[in-house]
C-alpha cells in the first residue's frame, strides 16, 4: 500500500537501507507529500542477510569499540578516564549532566541497534523467497532476539526505566497512526517490564539459536549466559534461575594459560562463549588505539587501586596480561611519565583485535555469586578457586554472605578488568556506593570526586536532547 500524505518517520533510519550508525532512533523529522511504501522492506533473502550483517557489523562502531569499555570500567575503581574529553570526565567523576554528549550518543546507538533487530523480528517471516528457508528465518529471528535482549539489558542498567520499542516503523497512515506514535514518541516503561521483554526474547530464542560452538554469533550458550546475568540483575533476583541457566552452558572450559585469552593467537577458544571477530573486514577493530599506545594519553588509564590489588594478591600473571607500563611524554596526578600504565587486553593495533562479550570465567564467578546468595559458601569458594587454580593462586574460603560477595567482587575485578563489567558488577551487588566512595590515589588519599557518588548517580540521566524531542520522556531523580 502506498500513501500520499504528510507522515513522520524515524530520523536517520532509511526505509529500505541497512544502517542507523549515529542516527537517533527516537527523534522524528517531518516529511510532506511523499509516497512511502508500507509493504515489507525486506523483499529477498539477500535483504534479510544484509540486515543480519548490519546487526553484527555494529560491533565495529563507536559504542562497542570505545563506549562499552569506558562505561563499564572508567566509572569504577579500576581506571581513570584518561585522555582529555570533558564529557568523559563527567562520567568518571559522577557528575554527568543531562546534556552530556556521550550519554546522548549511547542512547542513539542502542535504539538504533534495537531497530535493526526489530527489522528482522518484524519482517523476515513475510519474505517470499524460496532461497530463504523457514529454518534460516527462525535462526535469524533467534539471533536478532538475543541481540535485542542484550541491548535492552544495557539500556535498563544504564538508565533504569526506558522505552520499549518493538516495531521497526517504516511509515504512517491513518490506520497505524496510534501504533506508530507510541513507537516514535514512547514513554519510559518500568524496569520490570523491560526485564520481562528481555527474558521473553532470550527464552524464546533458545529453540532456534545457533549452537554454542558458533562463538561469533548470538548463540545458545550466550543466550543461557545472558539469561543468568539478567536473573541476577533484575529486581528481586532469582538465584535458582541463575544457577539453572549457568548450568545449561556446555562445551566450554577455562584456558590453561590466561594470557592466551588476549594474545591474538587463540581466537574462538574453549573459554569463549560469545566474542567479536575483529578481522579487519566487516568489523575493523579500530578501538584498540583508544586504549594503548604512547602517541597520546589514552582512555581507561589503569588506577593505582587496581595495580595495588594485583600486587597485594601477588597476582603477577593477570597483572601482566591486563596492564602494560611504558615511558611516555606526559604525566598526571596519578602516574609519572617513566612508568605510565595502559590497559593491555586490547593490545592489537592492526584492526584485528577480538574481544569477549561473554566468557566462561565470567560465568563461573556468577555461579559463585549465586552460591553465596543461597548460603552455599563451600560451593561458592569452589567456583572462585577454579578461576584461581590456573594462576597458581592460593585457594579461598568463605565464611558469610558479606565475605563471599566481597571475594566474588575482588575476583571479578582481577579476572575481568577492562572487559566492561565492573560498573555493572558493583551496581548488581549493591556495593557501588560503598566501594566507589572510598577510591584512593597512589598516596592513599581518597579521591576528591569519590564523594560525588550517590544513589541517583547509579543511573544516567535521560538525554536532554531526547526529552526536548519527546515530551513523554521523564527524567531520572537527581538530574
Amino acid at each position: 500500500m502506498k500513501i500520499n500524505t504528510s507522515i513522520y518517520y524515524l530520523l536517520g533510519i532509511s526505509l529500505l537501507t541497512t544502517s542507523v550508525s549515529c542516527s537517533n532512533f527516537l527523534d522524528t523529522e517531518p516529511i510532506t507529500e511523499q509516497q512511502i511504501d508500507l509493504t515489507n522492506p525486506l523483499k529477498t533473502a539477500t535483504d534479510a542477510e544484509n540486515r543480519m550483517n548490519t546487526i553484527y557489523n555494529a560491533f565495529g562502531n563507536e559504542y562497542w569499540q570505545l563506549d562499552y569499555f569506558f562505561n563499564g570500567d572508567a566509572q569504577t575503581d579500576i581506571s581513570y578516564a584518561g585522555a582529555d574529553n570533558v564529557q568523559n570526565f563527567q562520567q568518571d567523576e559522577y557528575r554527568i549532566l543531562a546534556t552530556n554528549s556521550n550519554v546522548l550518543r549511547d542512547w542513539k546507538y542502542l535504539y538504533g541497534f534495537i531497530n535493526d533487530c526489530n527489522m528482522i523480528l518484524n519482517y523476515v517471516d513475510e519474505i517470499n523467497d524460496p532461497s530463504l528457508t523457514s529454518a534460516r528465518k527462525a535462526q535469524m529471528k533467534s539471533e536478532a532476539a538475543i541481540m535485542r535482549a542484550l541491548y535492552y539489558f544495557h539500556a535498563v542498567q544504564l538508565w533504569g526505566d526506558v522505552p520499549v520499542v518493538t516495531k521497526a516503523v517504516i511509515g504512517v497512515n491513518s490506520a497505524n497512526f496510534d501504533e506508530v506514535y507510541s513507537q516514535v514518541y514512547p514513554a519510559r516503561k518500568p524496569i520490570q517490564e523491560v526485564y520481562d521483554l528481555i527474558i521473553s526474547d532470550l527464552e524464546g530464542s533458545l529453540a532456534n539459536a545457533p549452537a554454542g560452538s558458533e562463538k561469533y554469533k548470538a548463540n545458545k550458550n550466550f543466550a543461557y549466559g545472558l539469561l543468568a546475568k539478567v536473573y541476577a540483575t533484575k529486581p528481586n533476583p532469582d538465584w535458582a534461575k541463575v544457577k539453572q541457566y549457568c548450568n545449561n552452558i556446555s562445551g566450554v572450559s577455562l584456558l590453561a594459560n590466561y594470557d592466551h585469552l588476549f594474545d591474538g593467537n587463540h581466537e574462538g577458544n574453549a573459554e569463549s562463549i560469545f566474542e567479536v571477530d575483529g578481522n579487519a573486514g566487516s568489523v575493523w577493530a579500530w578501538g584498540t588505539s583508544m586504549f594503548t599506545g604512547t602517541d597520546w594519553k589514552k582512555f581507561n588509564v589503569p588506577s593505582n587501586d587496581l595495580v595495588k590489588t594485583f600486587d597485594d594478591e601477588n597476582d603477577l600473571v593477570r597483572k601482566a596480561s591486563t596492564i602494560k607500563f611504558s615511558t611516555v611524554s606526559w604525566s598526571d596526578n596519578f602516574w609519572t611519565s617513566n612508568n605510565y600504565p595502559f590497559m593491555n587486553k586490547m593490545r592489537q593495533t592492526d584492526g584485528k583485535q577480538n574481544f569477549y562479550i561473554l566468557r566462561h570465567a565470567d560465568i563461573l564467578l556468577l555461579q559463585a555469586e549465586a552460591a553465596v546468595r543461597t548460603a552455599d559458601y563451600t560451593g561458592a569458594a569452589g567456583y572462585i578457586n577454579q578461576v584461581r587454580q590456573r594462576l597458581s593462586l592460593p585457594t579461598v574460603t568463605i565464611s558469610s554472605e558479606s565475605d563471599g560477595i566481597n571475594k566474588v567482587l575482588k575476583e571479578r575485578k582481577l579476572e575481568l578488568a577492562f572487559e566492561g563489567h565492573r560498573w555493572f558488577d558493583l551496581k548488581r551487588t549493591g556495593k557501588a556506593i560503598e566501594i566507589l566512595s572510598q577510591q584512593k590515589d597512589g598516596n592513599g588519599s581518597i579521591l576528591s570526586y569519590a564523594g560525588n557518588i550517590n544513589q541517583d548517580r547509579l543511573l544516567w540521566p535521560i538525554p536532554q536532547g531526547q526529552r526536548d524531542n519527546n515530551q513523554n520522556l521523564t527524567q531520572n531523580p537527581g538530574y
Side-chain angles (χ1 to χ4, degrees), residues 264-284:
N265 298 318
H266 300 82
E267 297 174 342
N269 57 65
E271 188 166 337
S272 171
I273 294 175
F274 180 35
E275 71 182 85
V276 174
D277 186 13
N279 58 11
S282 59
V283 176
W284 176 266

Side-chain angles (χ1 to χ4, degrees), residues 139-170:
Q139 181 174 319
M140 285 180 167
K141 289 173 65 179
S142 287
E143 293 177 61
I146 293 168
M147 294 304 296
R148 183 171 76 175
L150 174 65
Y151 291 127
Y152 272 118
F153 190 37
H154 285 198
V156 75
Q157 289 180 96
L158 290 171
W159 288 287
D161 296 354
V162 291
V164 172
V165 180
T166 59
K167 299 291 185 182
V169 180
I170 60 172

